[in-house]
Amino acid sequence: MFPTPIQKASPFVQAGYKLLLPLALFLWLLPLIGVAVTSVRPAGDLAAGNYFGIPSGFAGVENYTAVFRDSPIGLYILNSFKVTIPTVIGAVALSCLTGFALAVYKFKGNLILFFMFVAGNFIPFQILMVPVRDLTLKLGLYDTTMGLVLFHVAFQTGFCTLFMRNFIKGLPFALIESARVEGVSEWRIFRYIVLPLMRPAIAALSVLIFTFVWNDYFWATVLVQGQHAMPVTAGLNSLNGQWVAAWHLVSAGSIVAALPPVAMFFLMQRHFIAGLTLGATKG
Amino acid sequence: MTQAVSSAPGFWKKNQQKLAPWLFLAPGLLMFVIYVLVPIFQSIWISFHDWDGLGEKVWIGLGNYVELIDDEDFYTSLKNNIIWLVLYLLSIPAGLAVALFLNQTVTGIRLYKSLFFFPFVISQVVVGLMFTWFYAPDFGLFSQLLKWLTGEEVAVLADERYVTYGIIAAGLWPQTAYCMILYLTGLNNINPEQVEAARMDGAKGAKLLWFVVLPQLAPATFIAMVVTVIGSLRSFDLVSVMTAGGPYGTSQVLSYFMYEQALSEYGYRMGYGAAIAVILFLIMMIFITLFIVRMLSQERNA
């Protein structure tokens, strides 16, 4: 184990480490703590110049109610779900198929296709912006959540395919071969032998894609214009423009927008980290 | 597929192994081609035109690129992109340092690790708003701290000298968290016997880290490099939320500059925007090629 376990150090150092941990965490999360405290600060505090002292009272209920009552943030959140959930289902479903194809079959162009998916994942969004916006307009899907879903599904399929393919490669190939010898069709091998084993990969990818797509801001501004389809990231930015200097509202809105992916992360932490660190341990 | 078997059993049985991969690939590949692959070529094509997004495209050859050469904003963006790239790489050693700090087994360490990872889960829009508030003159925590330390206040996001660094600092926060989690996983999987053997031989501290531990962390470092380089060149959200490229365009980066040109309130210049995107794409391709070549050689060795 590296560094040396703290238990081997003197009690003095151990106590110091245990003291340092919460202190370091406090400093690390200072911007977040500041926003969280501001979101429950009475509006009067800000007017009186009490920006980062102890709040004069708890106004969490008022501030959060005001955010939901006076702004369309509820609608924005709903739109984000309308974009995120179908994208997760679509991208994971498509990549189960593509990942299986690239992991199990040897055919000409296999590696080229695989690296095309990998490379697609790294390209700058801007090179896609004009044509994708144009295509979405032509399909009549501009300014709809569906337009965003289709693009996200296609783009995320790149990352998901990389993930699924590597996961299936790690499964024992003998399972598939013995099924083939028994004459099981390729589709049934996928459906009844491989797919059940892919549950952990599906879970990991779902949380990751949920977070990526929920937090997308660029496409939300390029493919959507009106409130009725706007996801919460773009919505929050436009609200920030309206709430000039109303930092208690901006803060409360930020917390609301950040909550779903944060909740997702805490609920599915193991899967999330397993997905994110894929490849960090071996080749 | 059961139908295919009944109607043409011979053909399907013989060619199942050959056809199956393409059938499995078809839906995903189709989406990918329509939304990712084809648009790349369309963008390159559009970059040779003058186009407002609605009317006829007018062929102007290299006109957009010639205009870029004389565009001062282009050089500002390019320069800022290089600053982003270089400073963003700091998140790799920073992430390693945090990971080493947290790689202990004391009560509650799991929760600490999750909370340190927190900034990465939050949307960059929210991170941008947080840091805008952090930097705000008069009342922001950072400006107050600076005033207390130096007696002078600096409006970071309104000052041409500091604005890009201020935004990058905001970006380093989630990126360091990302690198940290990669290294924590890497540290979890290093070979303890090698470390112990090196300790027996008297290696410790920085030497042990450099010669024994870091080589074993190479896969984590590689992934951290990939995501950091790509992340730095993709920077858009923070610039858009924190400054919209200002003051006077001094915090622009190529990705934001492109967006502004193509979809600005002063009229759409899709061709010019596409040309900027192509330049950004070419810069990225250098890195993407390097990454892919490395991954490919690993794939061949596997």
Side-chain angles (χ1 to χ4, degrees), chain A residues 169-185:
Chain A
K169 275 252 166 180
L171 297 175
F173 193 70
L175 271 178
I176 296 164
E177 271 190 329
S178 60
R180 275 191 189 145
V181 172
E182 306 246 328
V184 182
S185 79

Side-chain angles (χ1 to χ4, degrees), chain A residues 1-7 17-18 20-22 24-25 28-32 34-35 38 51-52 94 97-98 100-102 105 107-108 111 113-136 139 147 150-151 153-155 157-158 162 165-166 169 180 184-187 190 211-212 215 217-218 221-222 225 233 236-237 240 247 250 254 257-258 261-262 265-266 269-270 272-273 276-283, chain B residues 1 16-17 20-22 24-25 27-29 31-32 34-37 39-40 42-44 46 51 53 100-106 109-112 114-126 129-134 139-141 144 173 176-178 181-182 185-187 189-190 192 195-196 199 205 208-209 213 219-220 223 226 230 234 236-237 240-241 255-256 258-259 262-263 268 270 274 277-278 280-281 284 288 291-292 295-296 298-300:
Chain A
M1 180 139 170
F2 187 87
T4 315
I6 198 90
Q7 283 79 2
Y17 180 71
K18 280 177 188 158
L20 205 58
L21 269 178
L25 182 67
W28 182 243
L29 292 182
L30 201 57
L32 184 68
V35 166
T38 308
Y51 280 98
F52 55 91
L94 290 185
L97 298 170
T98 51
F100 179 77
L102 294 175
Y105 300 96
F107 57 94
K108 231 183 164 180
L111 221 50
L113 276 179
F114 175 61
F115 279 105
M116 188 195 77
F117 279 116
V118 177
N121 195 22
F122 294 147
I123 58 169
F125 295 144
Q126 280 71 20
I127 191 90
L128 309 179
M129 187 186 105
V130 173
V132 167
R133 185 176 174 277
D134 204 38
L135 174 68
T136 309
L139 291 172
L150 285 181
F151 172 76
V153 167
F155 191 81
T157 298
L162 161 70
R165 183 261 193 189
N166 286 354
K169 275 252 166 180
R180 275 191 189 145
V184 182
S185 79
E186 297 298 313
W187 170 255
F190 168 73
T211 312
F212 290 165
N215 288 342
Y217 168 71
F218 180 73
T221 57
V222 170
Q225 215 165 22
T233 44
L236 186 64
N237 194 42
N240 178 43
W247 281 103
V250 176
S254 302
V262 166
F265 167 64
F266 268 100
Q269 213 184 112
R270 261 205 10 253
F272 191 100
I273 289 175
L276 208 57
T277 54
L278 171 95
T281 50
K282 50 171 193 244
Chain B
M1 265 177 219
Q16 191 183 198
Q17 294 271 342
W22 296 102
F24 280 116
L25 275 169
L29 199 57
M31 286 293 277
F32 196 78
I34 293 175
Y35 270 100
V36 181
L37 211 57
I40 294 175
Q42 283 176 315
S43 267
I44 296 172
I46 292 167
W51 189 38
L100 289 173
F101 175 64
L102 290 176
N103 194 33
Q104 295 289 350
T105 43
V106 296
I109 196 73
R110 278 186 55 129
L111 186 64
Y112 276 110
S114 317
L115 288 172
F116 265 88
F117 182 62
F118 224 85
F120 182 74
V121 186
I122 304 169
S123 130
Q124 297 238 324
V125 174
V126 175
L129 289 176
M130 277 178 192
F131 273 79
T132 310
W133 176 83
F134 202 53
F139 61 85
L141 214 49
Q144 291 298 316
W173 192 46
T176 301
Y178 193 174
I181 210 80
L182 290 171
T185 312
L187 282 169
N189 287 286
I190 57 173
V195 176
E196 286 317 313
R199 279 211 176 104
L208 183 61
L209 174 67
V213 177
I223 304 222
V226 174
I230 301 294
R234 269 201 186 149
F236 172 88
D237 301 8
S240 164
V241 169
S255 60
Y256 189 77
M258 181 274 166
Y259 170 81
L263 295 176
Y268 292 175
M270 300 287 185
V278 169
L280 183 61
F281 178 71
M284 289 270 234
I288 295 173
F291 298 149
I292 298 269
M295 288 169 86
L296 201 65
Q298 276 171 350
E299 198 63 42
R300 294 248 160 87

Side-chain angles (χ1 to χ4, degrees), chain B residues 256-276:
Chain B
Y256 189 77
F257 180 45
M258 181 274 166
Y259 170 81
E260 242 197 7
Q261 291 297 321
L263 295 176
S264 85
E265 37 201 302
Y266 310 110
Y268 292 175
R269 295 194 64 201
M270 300 287 185
Y272 197 50
I276 302 165

Side-chain angles (χ1 to χ4, degrees), chain B:
Chain B
M1 265 177 219
T2 39
Q3 261 186 345
V5 172
S6 56
S7 62
F11 176 76
W12 179 246
K13 258 220 166 98
K14 247 184 254 160
N15 295 293
Q16 191 183 198
Q17 294 271 342
K18 260 190 201 148
L19 289 172
W22 296 102
L23 292 173
F24 280 116
L25 275 169
L29 199 57
L30 190 73
M31 286 293 277
F32 196 78
V33 167
I34 293 175
Y35 270 100
V36 181
L37 211 57
V38 171
I40 294 175
F41 295 102
Q42 283 176 315
S43 267
I44 296 172
W45 176 246
I46 292 167
S47 78
F48 297 123
H49 292 81
D50 190 21
W51 189 38
D52 63 1
L54 293 168
E56 285 291 300
K57 297 185 186 77
V58 182
W59 175 267
I60 54 167
L62 290 172
N64 287 321
Y65 294 93
V66 172
E67 192 182 335
L68 267 181
I69 293 175
D70 282 323
D71 193 331
E72 229 171 273
D73 285 339
F74 172 66
Y75 291 104
T76 312
S77 311
L78 200 60
K79 191 191 88 196
N80 284 338
N81 262 127
I82 294 168
I83 300 175
W84 266 88
L85 182 64
V86 172
L87 291 183
Y88 230 50
L89 289 173
L90 289 177
S91 60
I92 298 173
L96 177 63
V98 180
L100 289 173
F101 175 64
L102 290 176
N103 194 33
Q104 295 289 350
T105 43
V106 296
T107 11
I109 196 73
R110 278 186 55 129
L111 186 64
Y112 276 110
K113 288 176 184 168
S114 317
L115 288 172
F116 265 88
F117 182 62
F118 224 85
F120 182 74
V121 186
I122 304 169
S123 130
Q124 297 238 324
V125 174
V126 175
V127 171
L129 289 176
M130 277 178 192
F131 273 79
T132 310
W133 176 83
F134 202 53
Y135 289 139
D138 295 332
F139 61 85
L141 214 49
F142 179 78
S143 348
Q144 291 298 316
L145 205 67
L146 210 63
K147 197 174 170 187
W148 182 69
L149 281 174
T150 65
E152 240 178 293
E153 218 178 4
V154 177
V156 177
L157 296 183
D159 194 312
E160 294 179 16
R161 288 168 299 173
Y162 307 123
V163 62
T164 295
Y165 301 100
I167 304 174
I168 295 171
L172 281 174
W173 192 46
Q175 193 64 30
T176 301
Y178 193 174
C179 295
M180 173 206 82
I181 210 80
L182 290 171
Y183 277 122
L184 272 176
T185 312
L187 282 169
N188 233 335
N189 287 286
I190 57 173
N191 183 345
E193 279 156 30
Q194 276 188 31
V195 176
E196 286 317 313
R199 279 211 176 104
M200 295 280 201
D201 292 341
K204 56 182 178 185
K207 252 192 166 158
L208 183 61
L209 174 67
W210 186 259
F211 291 107
V212 181
V213 177
L214 270 186
Q216 292 199 52
L217 290 177
T221 307
F222 175 66
I223 304 222
M225 285 277 280
V226 174
V227 295
T228 304
V229 168
I230 301 294
S232 75
L233 291 172
R234 269 201 186 149
S235 52
F236 172 88
D237 301 8
L238 289 173
V239 175
S240 164
V241 169
M242 293 174 79
T243 63
Y248 312 111
T250 48
S251 63
Q252 298 247 36
V253 286
L254 287 175
S255 60
Y256 189 77
F257 180 45
M258 181 274 166
Y259 170 81
E260 242 197 7
Q261 291 297 321
L263 295 176
S264 85
E265 37 201 302
Y266 310 110
Y268 292 175
R269 295 194 64 201
M270 300 287 185
Y272 197 50
I276 302 165
V278 169
I279 302 280
L280 183 61
F281 178 71
L282 291 178
I283 297 172
M284 289 270 234
M285 270 326 270
I286 301 171
F287 293 100
I288 295 173
T289 313
L290 287 174
F291 298 149
I292 298 269
V293 166
R294 200 199 124 123
M295 288 169 86
L296 201 65
S297 70
Q298 276 171 350
E299 198 63 42
R300 294 248 160 87
N301 292 336

